[in-house]
Amino acid sequence: MADLKVDVTNLKKNYGSNQVLKGIDFKVANNEVVVLIGPSGSGKSTLLRCLNKLEEPTSGSIVIDGHDISDPKTNIDKARENIGMVFQHFNLFNNLSVGENIMLAPVELGKANKDEAMTTAKQLLETVGLADKFDAMPASLSGGQKQRVAIARALAMNPDIMLFDEPTSALDPEMVGDVLEVMKDLAKDGMTMVVVTHEMGFAKEVADRVVFMAEGHVVEEGRPEAIFEDPQNERTKAFLEKVINI
Amino acid sequence: MKKFIAMLSAVFGLFMLGVFSQPQIQAASEKTYTIDTDVTFPPFVYANTENKYVGIDLDLLRAIAKEEGFKVKIRPVGFNAAVQSVSAGQADGMIAGMSITEERKQKFDFSDPYYSAGIVMAVKDGSGIKSLSELKGKKVAVKTGTAGADYANSIKDKYGFEIVTFDDSDGVYNDVINGNSAACFEDSAVMYYAIKNGLDLKVVTKPANTTETGFAVKKGQNQELLKMFNEGLAKLKANGEYDKIIKKYTEGKATSKTKVKSQTETAEDRTVLGILKENKDAFISGIIETLKLTVVGIFCATIFGIFVGLLGVVPNKFCRGLSTTIIYIFRGLPLIVLALFIYNGVPSLIGSKVPAFLAGVITLMLNEGAYTAAFVKGGIESVDKGQMEAARSLGMPFGKSMRRVILPQGIKIMVPSFINQFIITLKDTSILSVIGLLELTQTGKIIIARNLEGFRVWAIVAVIYLVIITVLTLLSKWIERRINN
């Protein structure tokens, strides 16, 4: 099982009487890029947020990198150091500059001293094409720039796996490409990624596997060609028709 | 997160230790008794032009103490506060022109009477009212808890008037002078003394319901003090000292010489500048007490408020519930109730005295702290949830995330509320005059009790408050700019 980065078994999540995840089995192998698609309210974001325990699962087990994070005894902060997350609304720390945003966690958590963290931060900013923004404040950046900084911030902790929660949904169309480019590069470098997105083009091009969710279930999954060109399930077909015909 | 709570608890614990573990200084060769009084009650007790507390009661008490070999510590807390402090054991006894009544005997043991007086009705000079029967449908002013008030209550149905109560004599007199009330009922000695000193009222009835005035201790307590008082009083009566003291305060008006003298003195003193000059020391010590209360109060309330506010946002149901409860209780209680509860209620529970200043500071800490906690909590909650999620998703523990990401953003939102709360705290210190703290408001009351210049003295007090508030605001704005840069 060493190659399994994510191993979710029979995961259920209730909000009061409303069951959002109804027994999910979900696995991600090392270096695999998995894209979660599905209509809104299908539970894909909830599933993603359970993977680093931003949502507390109601029942079921979640093993990430060999650590059972659904076990209350597991140190979740330690586990999260290896799980990068990128949010729909970027969530850059508004009180800190771009450089400080990236350096904060590695320095605070003793992963690097200030100089090392600064070197890493500058390198990462260069990879995402924002080398000149080190001292800028988040408020002065465009959405696309913010999201690329957010990716750099997550990468600064040198995670084994990256979670993306609709990373391009809040962006103006012309910004989407830049962010997707950065994500494609990451995938090429072998990063294990779980991506919730509505960018079907990205899914087709980059994903090793596409998972279609609806109403709290995994309805269908497989190679992107299989899902997009030959969906088996009626609901998958209906969903893809709507999305692709826009 | 546990570390974070532990750290907060440690800070708070240390702080509380500091507040409550003030060393108890107790060194007395000659026994000292704490006696509470109301210094707005001439001729029994009042502050003279040198701001010394004098009057029939205090002159007698001091003479008796000298005769019997004990010491007294006089605390000018006001009549109601004195009644409560003695009941709660915060003071050993009280002397404040207190009538001996059956009701009071339930709670107090009284000395032999040292003065007897009756209740008279006074009206505005020229109002034309001459008898009780003319009061029908009118208002009558009395001071709460006095024999005058009891008398008014006993006859109000018979004569069909309505009672308005005030906490101090100045309020009573002014209400009559302003025409809101048609008359007031007051102890004869008090009334004659006030009129002698220039009050524009006229006594129109003979003293009724003659009552005896006595020194009081809590029932069953301090019997040796009561015994000494009685023995001393008997000695003073025997050696003529007693008569001298009584005459000094009630018959001085007879000589035209003193009258003229007092009038010229009065004329000089009645300008704002004159009042300021004459009471300079009293005002300064009042300002200092107000500032001390404000600074210590703000400090404690801010620490307490931040602690409780943070408790309200930690991911632990018990902590959040505790925070909400503390805010609910102490924001819900009127400050005056809380102050009286801590000063007069708590001592009977824990069996030891709570110094007035400490009681005042705790009151401010709890009440202002609850408001502070509410906006600290609100400020933190108003920071976008995504900020905390992003910090936590990087592996930063709750405390670190709070300190490095949430608080710096929350504090900016809170700064205006902090400044507002500082100003409110300053103003609220005036309410602490009810537990006898000699701050600016209480100082004003005491000065007015002597010179009866309500308008000018309150105007002076108001201006002093505004000046302090202006300084406080400027200081806060300066801090705000520092924080924002």
Side-chain angles (χ1 to χ4, degrees):
Chain A
M1 299 292 277
D3 271 5
L4 220 47
K5 280 279 167 195
V6 176
D7 189 358
V8 172
T9 318
N10 197 22
L11 173 64
K12 290 180 181 161
K13 172 68 186 172
N14 300 350
Y15 292 108
S17 61
N18 181 22
Q19 193 165 46
V20 182
L21 298 179
K22 300 170 178 168
I24 302 275
D25 292 320
F26 178 70
K27 292 174 184 21
V28 180
N30 204 4
N31 302 339
E32 192 181 18
V33 176
V34 177
V35 171
L36 292 173
I37 60 170
S40 62
S42 60
K44 50 195 194 305
S45 275
T46 307
L47 169 61
L48 193 77
R49 289 164 60 83
C50 281
L51 297 184
N52 68 351
K53 235 185 170 182
L54 283 183
E55 298 291 343
E56 191 78 31
T58 306
S59 69
S61 96
I62 301 167
V63 179
I64 309 280
D65 245 349
H67 303 288
D68 183 357
I69 64 161
S70 44
D71 181 348
K73 285 192 288 257
T74 305
N75 182 342
I76 187 62
D77 292 326
K78 271 271 168 263
R80 279 174 181 152
E81 290 181 7
N82 291 320
I83 310 171
M85 181 143 190
V86 175
F87 299 86
Q88 180 177 0
H89 296 287
F90 335 123
N91 298 347
L92 291 186
F93 306 136
N94 298 319
N95 56 318
L96 301 176
S97 71
V98 165
E100 289 165 335
N101 260 276
I102 301 171
M103 291 158 61
L104 180 68
V107 172
E108 281 287 320
L109 300 172
K111 295 272 150 183
N113 65 34
K114 256 203 159 137
D115 292 339
E116 293 163 1
M118 192 179 290
T119 314
T120 316
K122 285 185 171 159
Q123 275 168 8
L124 285 167
L125 279 177
E126 204 165 320
T127 9
V128 299
L130 295 168
D132 56 330
K133 297 289 184 191
F134 187 85
D135 291 316
M137 289 306 281
S140 69
L141 302 183
S142 73
Q145 291 171 329
K146 281 182 189 170
Q147 196 59 299
R148 284 182 280 155
V149 173
I151 294 172
R153 179 177 68 180
L155 290 174
M157 286 299 290
N158 198 17
D160 294 337
I161 176 169
M162 287 283 286
L163 310 177
F164 293 85
D165 189 5
E166 304 201 25
T168 57
S169 300
L171 296 180
D172 289 338
E174 75 268 24
M175 308 278 182
V176 172
D178 291 340
V179 173
L180 291 181
E181 242 2 90
V182 171
M183 290 170 66
K184 279 177 203 164
D185 289 344
L186 261 184
K188 265 184 228 151
D189 291 346
M191 176 62 76
T192 309
M193 293 164 64
V194 181
V195 185
V196 172
T197 188
H198 297 293
E199 294 295 330
M200 297 305 153
F202 175 83
K204 271 184 204 163
E205 188 185 336
V206 182
D208 297 310
R209 185 155 51 99
V210 172
V211 175
F212 174 73
M213 286 181 68
E215 289 166 30
H217 295 284
V218 171
V219 174
E220 191 170 354
E221 59 181 309
R223 298 282 310 161
E225 311 84 71
I227 297 289
F228 287 114
E229 278 147 36
D230 186 22
Q232 301 300 306
N233 190 290
E234 285 307 314
R235 275 190 293 188
T236 319
K237 281 180 200 163
F239 173 75
L240 288 174
E241 238 161 64
K242 274 187 208 154
V243 181
I244 288 163
N245 287 347
I246 286 171
Chain B
M1 181 208 63
K2 278 204 187 104
K3 243 201 208 152
F4 182 69
I5 296 176
M7 197 180 75
L8 276 179
S9 312
V11 168
F12 186 64
L14 275 177
F15 162 71
M16 291 309 278
L17 208 68
V19 167
F20 284 108
S21 64
Q22 290 188 335
Q24 296 287 327
I25 302 151
Q26 196 68 275
S29 51
E30 215 172 21
K31 191 154 187 200
T32 301
Y33 292 98
T34 304
I35 309 296
D36 281 1
T37 188
D38 181 341
V39 293
T40 67
F41 207 37
F44 295 108
V45 205
Y46 63 101
N48 68 10
T49 46
E50 284 97 48
N51 280 303
K52 296 254 163 24
Y53 303 137
V54 294
I56 295 172
D57 291 21
L58 293 185
D59 285 14
L60 277 177
L61 181 66
R62 286 188 186 116
I64 289 168
K66 205 174 155 199
E67 198 75 40
E68 297 292 313
F70 62 90
K71 283 185 175 161
V72 289
K73 185 182 164 217
I74 307 291
R75 298 194 309 179
V77 299
F79 193 87
N80 286 334
V83 166
Q84 294 185 39
S85 327
V86 174
S87 315
Q90 287 269 36
D92 297 308
M94 70 176 285
I95 189 159
M98 191 181 189
S99 305
I100 302 171
T101 63
E102 281 310 311
E103 199 186 350
R104 285 181 181 154
K105 278 187 188 164
Q106 309 287 317
K107 287 237 156 195
F108 297 98
D109 284 331
F110 281 96
S111 69
D112 297 334
Y114 60 83
Y115 189 79
S116 95
I119 305 302
V120 292
M121 175 172 113
V123 299
K124 192 177 176 179
D125 213 0
S127 75
I129 294 175
K130 284 195 190 69
S131 67
L132 293 167
S133 52
E134 289 166 65
L135 292 176
K136 196 170 173 62
K138 297 200 164 72
K139 282 181 187 158
V140 161
V142 295
K143 180 171 159 184
T144 45
T146 60
D150 291 346
Y151 178 66
N153 265 309
S154 70
I155 58 166
K156 72 170 180 205
D157 291 336
K158 186 171 164 198
Y159 293 102
F161 58 80
E162 194 187 319
I163 293 175
V164 192
T165 56
F166 292 87
D167 248 356
D168 57 82
S169 305
D170 185 55
V172 172
Y173 304 149
N174 273 331
D175 209 48
V176 179
I177 290 166
N178 296 338
N180 293 330
S181 293
C184 62
F185 288 99
E186 185 63 281
D187 184 278
S188 53
V190 175
M191 208 64 240
Y192 283 121
Y193 176 85
I195 292 168
K196 184 188 95 179
N197 279 284
L199 180 68
D200 202 15
L201 293 183
K202 198 171 85 180
V203 173
V204 292
T205 61
K206 289 227 151 52
N209 273 19
T210 312
T211 52
E212 318 248 67
T213 307
F215 166 75
V217 295
K218 187 181 181 184
K219 202 171 178 63
Q221 306 283 317
N222 283 310
Q223 296 299 312
E224 78 293 344
L225 174 61
L226 201 59
K227 200 169 147 238
M228 284 192 285
F229 188 94
N230 285 337
E231 284 169 7
L233 183 62
K235 282 181 201 163
L236 293 183
K237 277 183 174 164
N239 68 16
E241 180 87 4
Y242 173 83
D243 285 337
K244 247 196 259 169
I245 291 172
I246 300 294
K247 272 189 188 151
K248 182 174 160 196
Y249 290 102
T250 54
E251 292 177 24
K253 60 183 169 179
T255 62
S256 57
K257 214 173 164 189
T258 48
K259 200 171 182 185
V260 170
K261 197 180 161 221
S262 83
Q263 270 174 356
T264 49
E265 252 178 24
T266 308
E268 274 177 282
D269 293 338
R270 303 253 149 152
T271 63
V272 167
L273 265 181
I275 292 170
L276 265 177
K277 215 189 255 170
E278 192 172 89
N279 300 291
K280 197 179 79 198
D281 294 343
F283 277 127
I284 288 174
S285 76
I287 291 170
I288 289 172
E289 188 74 3
T290 289
L291 285 177
K292 258 165 67 187
L293 272 171
T294 307
V295 170
V296 181
I298 285 176
F299 178 76
C300 295
T302 303
I303 290 180
F304 179 72
I306 291 175
F307 175 79
V308 174
L310 290 179
L311 212 57
V313 293
V314 295
N316 175 306
K317 265 190 190 149
F318 175 76
C319 290
R320 282 203 303 268
L322 186 67
S323 169
T324 312
T325 312
I326 290 173
I327 294 173
Y328 175 77
I329 291 175
F330 293 114
R331 199 167 55 164
L333 280 180
L335 193 65
I336 194 164
V337 172
L338 188 60
L340 289 171
F341 178 76
I342 291 169
Y343 185 63
N344 293 320
V346 171
S348 37
L349 191 77
I350 60 171
S352 84
K353 299 176 185 179
V354 180
F357 187 82
L358 180 61
V361 167
I362 294 176
T363 305
L364 290 175
M365 177 181 92
L366 294 176
N367 181 278
E368 315 293 341
Y371 281 98
T372 306
F375 69 69
V376 165
K377 197 173 151 209
I380 291 170
E381 280 167 352
S382 71
V383 175
D384 180 23
K385 273 200 179 64
Q387 297 283 309
M388 178 56 100
E389 287 190 344
R392 299 304 307 271
S393 78
L394 288 164
M396 299 218 307
F398 178 82
K400 271 198 171 82
S401 310
M402 198 46 119
R403 212 176 59 240
R404 296 303 310 270
V405 177
I406 309 302
L407 282 181
Q409 297 182 52
I411 284 170
K412 275 195 185 180
I413 302 169
M414 296 168 207
V415 166
S417 308
F418 268 114
I419 293 175
N420 194 32
Q421 198 60 38
F422 292 165
I423 290 168
I424 291 172
T425 307
L426 168 63
K427 290 194 289 182
D428 281 354
T429 58
S430 65
I431 296 174
L432 298 175
S433 59
V434 294
I435 58 170
L437 281 168
L438 261 178
E439 41 64 70
L440 196 49
T441 303
Q442 183 76 352
T443 305
K445 272 191 198 171
I446 291 171
I447 292 170
I448 291 165
R450 186 184 60 244
N451 69 10
L452 302 175
E453 283 292 337
F455 177 76
R456 291 194 176 93
V457 174
W458 285 130
I460 291 170
V461 169
V463 169
I464 295 175
Y465 272 115
L466 283 177
V467 168
I468 302 175
I469 281 170
T470 308
V471 172
L472 187 68
T473 311
L474 290 175
L475 190 72
S476 308
K477 295 271 179 208
W478 180 75
I479 293 170
E480 184 179 7
R481 274 200 305 275
R482 295 285 302 251
I483 285 175
N484 283 341
N485 288 338

